[in-house]
Amino acid sequence: MQQIRSQVTERDGLFELEAGSDVLDSPRYNHDMAPTKVRERTWNKWHITALWVGMSICVPTYTLGGVLTAYFGLTVGEALLAILFANIIVLVPLTLNAFPGTKYGIPFPVLLRSSFGILGSNVPCLIRALVACGWFGIQTMFGGLAIHLFLGSIFEGWKSLGGTGEVIGFMIFWALNLWVVIRGAESIKWLETLSAPLLVAVGIGLLVWAMPNVSMTELLAIPPKRPEGASVVSYFAAGLTAMVGFWATLSLNIPDFSRYAKGQKDQILGQIFGLPLTMFLFASLGVIMTAASVKLVGVTVSDPVTLIGHIQSPVWVAVAMALIIIATLSTNTAANIVSPTNDFQNIAPKVINRTKAVLLTGLVGLLLMGHELLKKLGLIVSDVSLETVYSNWLLGYSSLLGPIAGIMVVDYFLIKKQQLDLAGLYRDDVYPAWNWAGFLAFGVPVVLTLLSLGSDAFSWFYSYGWFTGSALGGIIYYGLCVMRAQPSAVKTAV
């Protein structure tokens, strides 16, 4: 006989839900969004380290140094320091927002129900989902190019397909990504675990290939692309904000992964071991490889797929492209499909299950890349480049996501004091449908950020968007929650 009321039990600091009909029959619940059972929390610190290695070693990371030197006016040394510092900084919201995922086994959208409301959680969820779908499309474009070059190294006639071959490669890689995620969290865990050491070996191999062709002294001495005599502070801070923005998305939806961690120690150590050093080293590799590319292949090439495509040996091109495909797959599945899959389910859990949500994610990502795909097929002509979209997004979306991160941390640690009603997060009778404190705390920093775009005096608010947004969002949310609680406290005292 099915129990009516849900029961919550605790085992060594980890909470588990035995769902009753009050939760099972709720429109806010489905099996894929349910809290993980303690026995399902199998990821130790090395699995989480592998997750971050797998996500960090990708084409966009490789190009970060070039983005900072070309668009943010930093020297090579300043760019690499910005990348290192940014990833140390982003560990803070990543680790803090991972806590409730590990403790309660809940994914990101369910956690948001505490700070934005049961229905209101869909707004920040969809903002996060749209960004992830865009990145899914961009990464799939890189993966598709790698498949195209891989097939071209094996079948001579494939090269003549040109842009059409790239589009076919895109669709193959697109389908492969969706298949991995549909299979579930365990398939992602093993993909990341198996690919991490392989990707590290690839990085070492590329470094050995490039180092004889580049002088580090000369590379570090290249002057920055900023006005002569200009202070480095503002340029460095803008670059730092952009680099924080690189993982601003994961600092929100990290509960999607930490819900599988064995304990808090595992998620903390795994993130510390896996993120900052991997990002720094692979971005450094990108800088070195780009500098060496002139001697290696005769032209300056800023992305590894195109660089390896210049190699004359078909065997080495095939091997290298296979490894890049694995690297991009490990990044894309974890960083860009898991989150929107959960986010789309949150809209209507009884209607949208994981498989439907994965397919919806794939469709949105495909549509967002439609312009680029049509260009490759020769059906339209456009000067808008994928690189321009990529570099502009880094700063822009971090400004939007910062307030959400601040609100989540303040809500869980200061307002709720790490105590959530686990069953209540899946019903309509504990938390409000819309938590307007969350929306006001989110809206004010976003409006100020948009207004600052048209003001020279307040341009710093946009340039440092993630920092200003997360701090202001958290402060406003705390203040609104405290003020809302005061009348009830006074009434009780009387």
Side-chain angles (χ1 to χ4, degrees), residues 102-363:
T102 301
K103 182 176 180 178
Y104 291 102
I106 53 176
F108 165 64
V110 174
L111 176 60
L112 274 183
R113 294 173 182 177
S114 172
S115 51
F116 284 87
I118 299 295
L119 296 178
S121 62
N122 286 301
V123 176
C125 275
L126 290 177
I127 293 172
R128 169 67 181 98
L130 182 62
V131 171
C133 288
W135 276 116
F136 166 60
I138 290 173
Q139 290 274 18
T140 303
M141 197 67 71
F142 285 124
L145 175 59
I147 287 179
H148 169 64
L149 293 173
F150 174 78
L151 293 173
S153 68
I154 298 175
F155 307 109
E156 189 62 33
W158 188 273
K159 295 179 182 178
S160 63
L161 292 175
T164 301
E166 291 184 37
V167 173
I168 294 172
F170 177 96
M171 295 309 301
I172 294 172
F173 192 71
W174 178 87
L176 185 59
N177 277 266
L178 301 189
W179 177 77
V180 169
V181 180
I182 285 173
R183 286 178 58 86
E186 281 298 298
S187 66
I188 295 173
K189 180 179 84 171
W190 288 114
L191 172 65
E192 303 295 339
T193 302
L194 294 172
S195 64
L198 191 62
L199 298 178
V200 172
V202 171
I204 294 171
L206 287 173
L207 189 62
V208 170
W209 180 43
M211 281 306 290
N213 296 282
V214 65
S215 167
M216 290 302 297
T217 303
E218 293 178 7
L219 188 60
L220 294 172
I222 296 174
K225 296 178 181 178
R226 58 177 181 257
E228 189 174 349
S231 171
V232 69
V233 176
S234 60
Y235 289 88
F236 187 86
L240 186 69
T241 301
M243 293 304 99
V244 168
F246 191 84
W247 289 123
T249 50
L250 262 295
S251 72
L252 302 183
N253 77 286
I254 189 63
D256 290 334
F257 300 101
S258 67
R259 64 192 293 227
Y260 298 103
K262 287 185 173 182
Q264 300 294 2
K265 184 178 179 181
D266 288 287
Q267 69 93 354
I268 293 170
L269 292 177
Q271 296 198 87
I272 291 173
F273 294 161
L275 177 60
L277 199 56
T278 305
M279 285 291 293
F280 175 76
L281 292 177
F282 201 67
S284 300
L285 175 66
V287 171
I288 293 169
M289 293 297 297
T290 301
S293 61
V294 176
K295 290 184 180 179
L296 290 171
V297 298
V299 292
T300 300
V301 182
S302 60
D303 81 82
V305 180
T306 306
L307 177 63
I308 294 168
H310 281 83
I311 299 174
Q312 298 302 311
S313 169
V315 174
W316 281 114
V317 170
V319 171
M321 287 304 151
L323 294 173
I324 285 178
I325 291 167
I326 293 171
T328 310
L329 180 66
S330 65
T331 299
N332 220 12
T333 51
N336 302 321
I337 305 181
V338 170
S339 177
T341 294
N342 288 334
D343 297 338
F344 289 137
Q345 286 185 83
N346 193 60
I347 299 171
K350 294 297 188 190
V351 178
I352 307 174
N353 60 16
R354 182 174 64 208
T355 299
K356 290 178 181 177
V358 170
L359 295 175
L360 182 57
T361 298
L363 177 61

Side-chain angles (χ1 to χ4, degrees), residues 19-85:
S21 58
D22 60 326
V23 166
L24 294 173
D25 297 337
S26 169
R28 314 302 164 203
Y29 176 92
N30 71 16
H31 174 73
D32 298 316
M33 299 281 284
T36 51
K37 300 292 186 183
V38 172
R39 67 176 180 274
E40 296 172 321
R41 303 180 200 183
T42 60
W43 295 31
N44 61 32
K45 59 180 176 292
W46 301 117
H47 292 125
I48 295 171
T49 298
L51 172 74
W52 278 109
V53 171
M55 288 197 295
S56 299
I57 297 180
C58 60
V59 175
T61 302
Y62 181 101
T63 62
L64 286 182
V67 169
L68 287 174
T69 54
Y71 292 95
F72 291 89
L74 300 182
T75 66
V76 168
E78 291 163 356
L80 295 179
L81 279 177
I83 292 166
L84 180 61
F85 289 167

